[in-house]
Amino acid sequence: MITCRLFLWFVVYTVLQSDHIIQGKRVVLMPMPTPSHTKYMTHVAQALAQQGHEVWLTMPDYLVKRSFLDTTNFTIIELTAFPNYEEILMEGLAERYFNYQTEDLLVFCRAGREFCDRILKNKHIFEQIKTLRPDFFVLDNLAFVKMLAIIPYRLGVPFAYLGSSYDVTTQRIPIVPCNIPHVMTGFNHHTTFYQRIVNFVLHLYPSLIDQCVYQDAVSRYAPEMPYLPIDILIARADIWLVETDHILDYPKPTMPNVKLIGGTATGPGKPLPPQFKDFMDEAQEGVVIVTFGSQVLNLPKSITQKILNVLTDLPFKSIFRANVSSPNSQKILTSSWIPQNDLLAHPNTRVFVSHCGKNGQYEALYHAVPVVATPLFADQFYNAERMRVRGFSETVDINTVSTDELRTTIVKWRPTRATSRPSQKPPNYSK
């Protein structure tokens, strides 16, 4: 992971330099308006600031108010009076899973188009960014917000895409579609004939119909500029930095301007807040961390009770991220927020029960913590399967798994001591 981060810094640093002269540039980063995407963008912002660049990052006010991200060394461009897109994007996804219903991914496209529409029509935001005289933009590469490339286009400024999306269509990567597992499936690289057909259709569909963008977006939001189809504008990105890598993921082809840099959100653990530190330090028998992400804090009562029954019966302590009260605060610590990376870094952490978000799985890999995967929606099934294939997780269906099966799986994955955990000393990047 340290190598991935160093590579990311080198790539962005190289793009921003010209004529071999070390000179600070003015960079604007525009992440998805959700915690996990904003988190790894802040890591990139910190890295760029440490290299002497002036950095700004757009962030909606509902994330700014939560004050959970380190925003030192760069400036926030606050997006005020925006709807809470974190809630809009996640609305109903977990609920549909717990009700055994198919998820409606078009909600992401609708919310993404609305988010872009609010930014691209907002003259105040555009003038605020224009006043900064930026030299470079770093945009989130998810399909839902790629129309934001219109802003650097209007300003005549180069831009890059950074994010978790390996999108062969927009990144112009030549592939055999049936052989590359699509991220919206739970397939691995050993596929059946039926799975290959599904992969082919899922890769082909967005190249024919892209419901996340307006094809006339340039004339709609930048009528003063020469017209370009939105897919041609997006393809003008100088570089694509994709949050994946050949260590955790399956072999994938890339183009010269597509770099795989998984693990930018990871890093050594920071000191824990007192309530977590005392609990972790005293748990010599070990701790299991249980979380379903920042968007899933209110589980169905039956699921919550199942988990609490398991945690009560385990031979070690646990931290459960949810809006519930602990039946035994000495053994089970419950909280609506946890310092996830810092808890995984603690030597007493034994197992991570996770929904398999992109940041969490890289944090678990970085800190050598085995995972019990409980995917709920979107790319989480894909993430869970590739962890299983790599040998550091086992997947359970939290809807149907029995109390005994869940307990057995957690205990089975618990090492006796965390003797192989990496050092928590900050890496020396000067070497």
Side-chain angles (χ1 to χ4, degrees), residues 177-351:
C178 62
N179 290 336
I180 303 295
H182 194 276
V183 73
M184 298 313 297
T185 71
F187 305 156
N188 59 45
H189 58 309
H190 298 296
T191 51
T192 65
F193 179 71
Y194 168 75
Q195 290 172 336
R196 291 186 178 208
I197 293 176
V198 172
N199 281 329
F200 176 80
V201 172
L202 290 177
H203 280 300
L204 180 64
Y205 182 78
S207 66
L208 301 175
I209 304 173
D210 190 346
Q211 295 180 303
C212 294
V213 300
Y214 298 119
Q215 291 303 316
D216 64 343
V218 171
S219 59
R220 183 180 298 216
Y221 299 113
E224 79 282 6
M225 301 297 295
Y227 175 74
L228 282 176
I230 189 63
D231 60 323
I232 299 299
L233 174 58
I234 291 169
R236 286 188 170 187
D238 281 13
I239 194 167
W240 295 79
L241 305 170
V242 184
E243 269 278 301
T244 189
D245 66 274
H246 294 309
I247 298 173
L248 182 59
D249 216 335
Y250 314 115
K252 293 180 175 180
T254 63
M255 295 297 283
N257 69 330
V258 178
K259 307 299 181 182
L260 309 185
I261 45 89
T264 58
T266 63
K270 297 178 181 178
L272 291 167
Q275 69 271 29
F276 293 103
K277 184 179 187 305
D278 294 342
F279 187 87
M280 295 295 296
D281 290 346
E282 295 170 2
Q284 295 301 315
E285 69 280 17
V287 179
V288 57
I289 310 299
V290 182
T291 174
F292 297 92
S294 59
Q295 292 88 20
V296 186
L297 300 175
N298 299 293
L299 300 163
K301 290 183 179 179
S302 59
I303 302 295
T304 300
Q305 193 57 52
K306 180 195 299 185
I307 294 171
L308 290 175
N309 288 342
V310 171
L311 299 183
T312 300
D313 195 40
L314 288 176
F316 45 96
K317 292 185 176 183
S318 58
I319 294 179
F320 182 20
R321 182 179 187 178
N323 286 328
V324 296
S325 298
S326 173
N328 180 356
S329 59
Q330 296 301 310
K331 187 174 183 180
I332 305 172
L333 190 158
T334 60
S335 175
S336 60
W337 173 84
I338 61 173
Q340 181 172 285
N341 183 66
D342 307 328
L343 289 172
L344 292 173
H346 197 283
N348 287 342
T349 297
R350 298 291 188 267
V351 186

Side-chain angles (χ1 to χ4, degrees), residues 340-401:
Q340 181 172 285
N341 183 66
D342 307 328
L343 289 172
L344 292 173
H346 197 283
N348 287 342
T349 297
R350 298 291 188 267
V351 186
F352 185 34
V353 179
S354 168
H355 66 301
C356 302
K358 183 67 67 69
N359 291 346
Q361 67 175 203
Y362 273 108
E363 290 168 351
L365 180 61
Y366 180 89
H367 297 295
V369 178
V371 178
V372 175
T374 58
L376 304 179
F377 49 77
D379 63 342
Q380 296 166 11
F381 297 94
Y382 176 89
N383 295 341
E385 177 62 10
R386 69 181 186 177
M387 285 193 293
R388 186 197 67 79
V389 169
R390 294 305 187 198
F392 76 101
S393 82
E394 184 166 336
T395 302
V396 299
D397 185 336
I398 199 63
N399 258 345
T400 60
V401 67

Side-chain angles (χ1 to χ4, degrees), residues 6 23-24 72 136 144 173 224 324 349 398:
L6 282 171
Q23 179 181 357
T72 56
F136 198 70
F144 324 121
I173 300 174
E224 79 282 6
V324 296
T349 297
I398 199 63

